[in-house]
Amino acid sequence: MEPIQQTYQMPTADQQLLDNGQGVIDPDVFFELNTPPSNLADFESKLTAFVDYHQEKNTRLVFITSGGTTVPLENQTVRFIDNFSNGHRGACSAEYFLDAGYAVVFMHRQFSLQPFHRHYTHNASMGFLDYLVQKDDDTIAVDSQYGNKMKDVLSKYRAATESNRLLFLDFVALSDYLFKLKSGTRILARLQERVMYYLAAAVSDFFIPSQKMHEHKIQSAGGALTLTLDQVPKFLTPLVSVWASKGLIVSFKLETDDNLLVPKARQALTRYGHQVVVANMLHTRKQTVTVITQTSQQVISLSQEDLANHVEIEDRIIPQLVRIHDGWISSDATKACQQ
Ligand code: PAZ
């Protein structure tokens, strides 16, 4: 029997007209061609209530995106393309932003690392039950060797949640993430320069639009599978210029080729005109990053001593970003006085 090469459906003439001639559609067109996630209304109402609360309190707020997006291969998704990110950067950063007095919206990939919980999950050698002991009176308790640290983590977690300073929201697929990014930034926009957007999620650059996707599970009887993915529109353009134009925007740049890292990070700053790029390499991202602004470039690295003392690099990154945010807020206040 002839092997059948499976490909996704070719774009229609109409869809081809919508792109910019290089196969990249406009961000607005993306939202017209894709269906919003079914829980978008719930996402919006939780975020609106959180923003209402913090608007009154005059708190600074950080919107953290964390973890990787999936790229489904079928509309009724059985298979998808994923990436390496487990959300460590975002989850860890959330704790340091809370320490710095921020309220945190933690928009994360479902089941990726979460602030505070992260100390007890996703550990290859320790499962949840391994932290517990069964006592003689048949009750259970935390094993005493973990008790002190757990008490400390628990009290910080309770302080954040009881003061309504930590909101968990999630996403899975790329389009889910993009709809929520747009909607979330617009809801937060009324807090203006008090919001920092900390875009640490690993967002796919390529996807299959839903009209071009197989509806049902792709069958192996069809032979080899050839996939063509479209390029994801550049969402930082509307985010910086329209959705969140008053906030401080911190994007992340990940590379595996050292020679590309700083030039690509600078290129992003020039192209989008936002304030900060944190550049990191895949294999050293927990030890060293470069914080780049339009006028400065600072390498932040952990020493051998820091590593031996289990210092986390976010402990150094967040205070630096808070200083930049201080400057952003006061420059905005200066602009307002001059008007
Ligand atoms: O989630 P994680 O801690 O495993 O990785 C963090 C990271 C490398 C995804 C983040 O620091 C980052 O660079 N995000 C942007 C990735 C990108 O360039 O698309």
Side-chain angles (χ1 to χ4, degrees), residues 15-285:
Q15 281 162 16
Q16 282 171 335
L17 282 177
L18 293 169
D19 73 33
N20 65 359
Q22 297 174 318
V24 191
I25 57 163
D26 186 81
D28 286 340
V29 176
F30 177 92
F31 294 113
E32 280 159 30
L33 293 180
N34 290 278
T35 315
S38 57
N39 62 358
L40 188 62
D42 182 53
F43 169 94
E44 288 172 343
S45 78
K46 284 182 179 149
L47 183 56
T48 303
F50 194 74
V51 171
D52 286 346
Y53 181 85
H54 288 288
Q55 186 158 22
E56 280 182 17
K57 297 233 167 291
N58 220 22
T59 337
R60 279 195 201 180
L61 200 143
V62 61
F63 180 66
I64 298 179
T65 69
S66 178
T69 58
T70 66
V71 172
L73 304 187
E74 299 121 344
N75 276 318
Q76 296 192 37
T77 309
V78 175
R79 303 187 184 93
F80 52 83
I81 300 172
D82 207 346
N83 69 60
F84 73 95
S85 166
N86 69 3
H88 183 269
R89 170 82 76 225
C92 192
S93 302
E95 293 178 21
Y96 291 97
F97 275 114
L98 286 162
D99 279 349
Y102 280 66
V104 174
V105 177
F106 186 67
M107 184 169 108
H108 64 288
R109 160 76 177 276
Q110 190 182 47
F111 305 130
S112 63
L113 285 167
Q114 298 188 11
F116 305 111
H117 299 287
R118 73 181 170 107
H119 299 278
Y120 305 101
T121 60
H122 299 62
N123 182 331
S125 54
M126 286 285 289
F128 168 69
L129 295 177
D130 296 321
Y131 293 97
L132 305 178
V133 285
Q134 188 151 11
K135 299 207 301 189
D136 292 343
D137 63 1
D138 217 26
T139 58
I140 56 170
V142 172
D143 188 329
S144 57
Q145 60 182 309
Y146 308 114
N148 281 342
K149 180 176 174 204
M150 201 178 276
K151 221 160 75 181
D152 190 39
V153 172
L154 182 65
S155 79
K156 288 184 171 176
Y157 171 61
R158 291 258 181 268
T161 51
E162 283 164 13
S163 60
N164 193 26
R165 287 198 302 126
L166 178 57
L167 177 67
F168 291 96
L169 297 169
D170 66 13
F171 63 84
V172 179
L174 173 82
S175 76
D176 186 13
Y177 172 85
L178 292 175
F179 272 98
K180 288 172 178 171
L181 181 71
K182 178 179 180 185
S183 171
T185 49
R186 289 178 140 193
I187 291 169
L188 287 157
R190 73 181 135 104
L191 299 185
Q192 304 205 348
E193 71 286 346
R194 272 160 51 201
V195 186
M196 186 193 301
Y197 299 88
Y198 184 87
L199 308 175
V203 182
S204 177
D205 286 330
F206 304 100
F207 79 122
I208 305 177
S210 102
Q211 300 80 357
K212 298 181 186 177
M213 244 189 264
H214 286 256
E215 178 59 25
H216 294 286
K217 183 183 168 207
I218 300 169
Q219 296 298 312
S220 60
L225 177 66
T226 305
L227 294 172
T228 306
L229 283 80
D230 285 10
Q231 199 181 336
V232 173
K234 300 292 180 197
F235 282 90
L236 268 182
T237 305
L239 191 145
V240 173
S241 58
V242 185
W243 306 342
S245 61
K246 295 267 181 174
L248 181 87
I249 298 166
V250 180
S251 71
F252 278 74
K253 173 59 74 187
L254 173 78
E255 289 298 339
T256 54
D257 178 347
D258 209 7
N259 297 318
L260 293 180
L261 187 63
V262 171
K264 295 278 283 208
R266 286 230 157 268
Q267 189 185 70
L269 274 186
T270 308
R271 176 183 286 173
Y272 304 113
H274 61 303
Q275 294 74 41
V276 188
V277 177
V278 180
N280 54 178
M281 297 290 293
L282 179 65
H283 297 298
T284 55
R285 65 191 190 278

